[in-house]
Every structure is written in structure tokens, then in C-alpha cells.
Amino acid sequence: MEQPLDIRRAAAAVGTHSASAAARVAPLVVALFFAWGFATVLIDTLIPKLKGLFQLNYAEAMLTQFAFFLGYLVFSIPASLLLSRIGYFRQIVVGLIVMAAGCLMFAPAAQLGLYPAFLAALFVMAAGITTLQVAANPLIALLGTPETSHSRLNLAQAFNSLGTTVGPLVGAALILKSGVEHPDAAKVAPAVLEAYRKAEAHAVQLPFLGIASVLVVLAVVFWLLRRSPAAPSSASEVGGGFNFALLKRPRLALGAVSIFVYVGAEVSIGSVMISYLMLDKTLGAVAATAGQLVALYWGGAMVGRFIGSAVMRKVPAGLVLGACAIGAGLLACTSAGTAGMVSAVAIIAIGLCNSVMFPTIFTLAIEGLGDDTPQGSGLLCLAIVGGAIIPLLTGLVADKAGLSIALLVPAACYIWIAIYGFLCRRSVAEV
């Protein structure tokens, strides 16, 4: 998941740094967006695999998302403080190394065949991604101007969506190729079950070990570029920190709630989609096929961000946000209340509506903050912890009432987002 940008001060720094150096660095920063999107979305294919491997219920399986997104709450403030001390490029290096360490932890987790070990690996990986994003997003701001912030943010994050589109295809091929059905623990000997779990867990580790190798290469590249004039060597030019008194401003406070429920809704749907498409009620698909179809959900988000980038040059951002949220809510309800291809298409199409929501909510929430923009950005990034809480709630509802009814949890989240979008059609002073 992406984190906030300090638009005003970052943009003011553009003229003081080398344009040619910025042009060279920009593709590398885009590569970071792709990398963490790819790694994050692999959790969607990991969930049904671990659910079957360790015979978990939906709430227990959602602990994968809880362990991952809890990292945003735990590490956002330390990462912000670290940025003010070591600067952008060095922090990117730290984030890449920590993220790689989390990916490497999948190897001992697979060897041990223990579910908590996988959760620990996800938590460390999240620490790295949080550290990385706190630096990478402000760095992207240095390459643009505030006049087209809504449009530019959607365009930049489209490359993150490219990673989330490719990730499920890789996950389906490597993680889900042998399916998600496993021997019943009550019917086989413990030694046999343990051996089976370890063998199957090795398939889980492969994509993460590959990601780790790429991250190490990127860390070396950014270390060599640490003295580049493309960005300030210190975060002092764009500020930072957390000022909780800013939550007295309704536009920011309501925006933080919107970030919380949006990330929760998006992650919830992505997390249950493979299991949902495998139901006889929808497609009855095998695990690998369902995993490939998840790519359409995230691919819709990518396409939508390119479209949204153009639309919001003509249409007010709040209106676009409200319309997309209504669309997503209606699709979630349609999927829950129908069966077969209609149900499957409806849940996949939610990705298209999701596309513009995060960056648009973010830029609307910090609009009008002036010199307090960095602190407001920091508060919004804490709200990403919704990706830990809402999926867990969705899993609890799924265990009690089934996956179809569980879709009403993200549908309720979209109702709130629509309200916030239409409120933000008004002037900053009125919200």
C-alpha cells in the first residue's frame, strides 16, 4: 500500500535540484512502487495456501493481513524520524534491506512449517515496505508540481498497480499450482502431516526469495546514488513528524477515517477473492485459475488510475471519488446477492472502481493544510492500519455467515468513502 506525499514543500524544492539527475532517478523510484506492489499482493495468493496448509478458518487466515498491515502502525513514526536523520536515499536503502530480510525469512518459516513463522516474516517485510515508502513517496513529489497533484499521484501509483497485477499471476503459478486442499490432520499421522506441510511450504517461499534478490540489487544501486543531486540529502526541506492536534480539522480527520476503511475494503476483497471464486456458488474454479483471475481485480485498479488521471483534469476529485465509491459498493452488493458469472464479474470489477480512491482521498485530506502538510501526511499513513483490522472483521463475518455476506463489510466501507467524496466537493473551509 502507498503512503503520503508532502506536495507543497517538495514541489518548491524542484527548482533547486538537477533536472537531469531527477530524470535518471525517476525510473528507479517507479521500480520501487512496482516492487512493493508486487510483494504486497502476493499475500492474496498466500492466504488460501496457508489456510489449507494449516487448516485455518477465515479469521485465522486473515492474520496474514493483520501481521502485515500492523507494520504500518508500528513503524510509520520511527520511519518518519529516521528520514529526518539520514535522508531519502539512505532510508530507501534501509527499507530495501529490511524488506529483503523479511522475504528471506520465508525460507526458515517453510523449513519449520509453522504458521507463526510466516506471520513474523510478513511483519518484518512490512517494516521494510513502510520504511521504504516513507522516503520514496516524498521523493516522487520532488519530480512534479502541486498544480496537477491529484492527476500525477494517480499516474504514479498506476505503476504500483502494475506490480499488483503481475503479482497474482506469479503467485498462482508458483504458490497455488498444487492447489489448496490438504490432508485432514485428524486422519493422518502427525509425522506425515508435518512432512507434507514442509514440502508444500517450500513452494510458498520461492517467489519471496526471488523478490529478496531483486531488492538487494536495488539497494546497491540506491547506495551508489546516495549523493545524487536529484533530491535533498536531508528530509528537513519537506518536514515530517506527527501532529495529532491536526485531527481537529474535520477534512483531515474524516480523510484519515476514509483511508482506514478504504485500505481495509480493498485488502478484504483481494484476500477473499480466490476462495470466493472457488465456491460452487460463483465459478467453482481451481486454485490456480482463481489466483490468475485476481490479477484482473488489480489490473482494473491499474487501468482505472490511468483513466482517473485524465478524468480528474476535467472533473472535481471529490465527485469522482464519490461516484467510484458508490460503484464499488453496488458491485460488492451485486456479487453478494447473485451467483455464477455475474457474481464473479461483479467482484472483479470492484478493482476498477477502487483505482482512484487512495490517492484521491489522500490529496483531498491534506488540501488546505499549508505548512502543516507534512504532519497531516504522517497522520494519514497511520490510517493504513485499516488493512489489518477490516480484513480480520471480514474473516469473522465469513466464518459466521459465509463469504457472500462478508462482502457487505467492504460495501459498508464504500458508503462512508462516497459520503467523504461528496463532502469534499465543497470548499476546504466548509469541510
Side-chain angles (χ1 to χ4, degrees):
M1 287 303 124
E2 301 87 2
Q3 282 191 357
L5 306 172
D6 172 8
I7 296 171
R8 290 185 49 150
R9 292 192 176 187
V14 172
T16 66
H17 302 290
S18 168
S20 60
R24 290 194 299 270
V25 169
L28 293 172
V29 179
V30 169
L32 297 178
F33 276 76
F34 178 90
W36 75 63
F38 182 93
T40 300
V41 82
L42 279 181
I43 302 174
D44 291 348
T45 52
L46 192 63
I47 288 173
K49 186 69 173 183
L50 295 180
K51 182 179 183 295
L53 194 60
F54 296 103
Q55 298 184 350
L56 309 170
N57 60 32
Y58 285 110
E60 291 169 338
M62 287 298 184
L63 289 175
T64 55
Q65 299 289 17
F66 183 85
F68 183 83
F69 282 95
L70 184 64
Y72 282 92
L73 179 65
V74 174
F75 296 108
S76 288
I77 293 177
S80 180
L81 296 174
L82 181 66
L83 179 60
S84 66
R85 290 180 174 273
I86 66 175
Y88 293 98
F89 282 21
R90 286 178 174 84
Q91 174 139 330
I92 286 174
V93 172
V94 171
L96 288 167
I97 291 174
V98 175
M99 185 179 169
C103 291
L104 291 173
M105 286 176 63
F106 277 81
Q111 185 63 34
L112 292 171
L114 296 175
Y115 185 49
F118 285 103
L119 298 182
L122 288 169
F123 185 71
V124 173
M125 191 172 78
I129 292 178
T130 303
T131 303
L132 180 65
Q133 291 185 30
V134 166
N137 279 307
L139 185 58
I140 278 286
L142 290 170
L143 307 177
T145 59
E147 288 77 15
T148 58
S149 61
H150 298 299
S151 173
R152 189 177 67 255
L153 226 57
N154 278 284
L155 184 61
Q157 291 178 3
F159 292 97
N160 178 270
S161 295
L162 178 60
T164 62
T165 301
V166 175
L169 299 176
V170 176
L174 297 179
I175 296 176
L176 298 177
K177 63 179 180 180
S178 61
V180 297
E181 299 298 329
H182 302 287
D184 189 340
K187 298 179 180 180
V188 298
V192 174
L193 182 62
E194 181 182 359
Y196 182 83
R197 283 177 173 172
K198 288 182 178 180
E200 286 293 300
H202 279 287
V204 172
Q205 70 176 340
L206 288 177
F208 291 95
L209 296 180
I211 293 171
S213 63
V214 174
L215 296 175
V216 170
V217 172
L218 284 172
V220 171
V221 171
F222 274 95
W223 177 256
L224 295 175
L225 291 173
R226 66 190 183 279
R227 301 186 189 281
S228 169
S233 59
S234 167
S236 60
E237 291 188 39
V238 294
F242 293 82
N243 181 2
F244 290 96
L246 290 176
L247 292 177
K248 294 178 181 178
R249 304 190 184 194
R251 192 181 185 97
L252 177 64
L254 299 179
V257 175
S258 298
I259 290 288
F260 182 93
V261 297
Y262 166 70
V263 175
E266 178 194 57
V267 172
S268 293
I269 292 171
S271 298
V272 303
M273 187 174 293
I274 292 175
S275 296
Y276 189 73
L277 296 176
M278 292 175 65
L279 294 176
D280 292 336
K281 177 251 183 188
T282 49
L283 297 182
V286 298
T289 301
Q292 292 170 351
L293 290 174
V294 173
L296 297 178
Y297 170 71
W298 294 106
M302 177 182 66
V303 172
R305 280 178 175 168
F306 283 111
I307 296 173
S309 178
V311 170
M312 279 187 281
R313 293 178 182 271
K314 304 287 187 180
V315 183
L319 181 60
V320 175
L321 175 62
C324 287
I326 289 175
L330 289 175
L331 286 169
C333 292
T334 298
S335 184
T338 57
M341 187 60 70
V342 173
S343 179
V345 171
I347 192 172
I348 291 172
I350 293 173
L352 184 63
C353 294
N354 279 345
S355 57
V356 302
M357 290 191 199
F358 182 95
T360 305
I361 293 169
F362 178 77
T363 50
L364 288 171
I366 63 172
E367 197 169 5
L369 287 183
D371 291 341
D372 291 324
T373 297
Q375 291 74 29
S377 299
L379 293 172
L380 289 175
C381 89
L382 291 177
I384 294 175
V385 74
I389 307 302
I390 303 295
L392 191 58
L393 176 60
T394 302
L396 290 170
V397 174
D399 287 328
K400 296 292 185 181
L403 282 177
S404 292
I405 298 300
L407 292 180
L408 299 181
V409 175
C413 295
Y414 291 126
I415 292 173
W416 167 257
I417 295 168
I419 292 171
Y420 181 71
F422 292 129
L423 283 175
C424 287
R425 293 178 63 192
R426 305 174 185 175
S427 67
V428 174
E430 294 176 315
V431 179

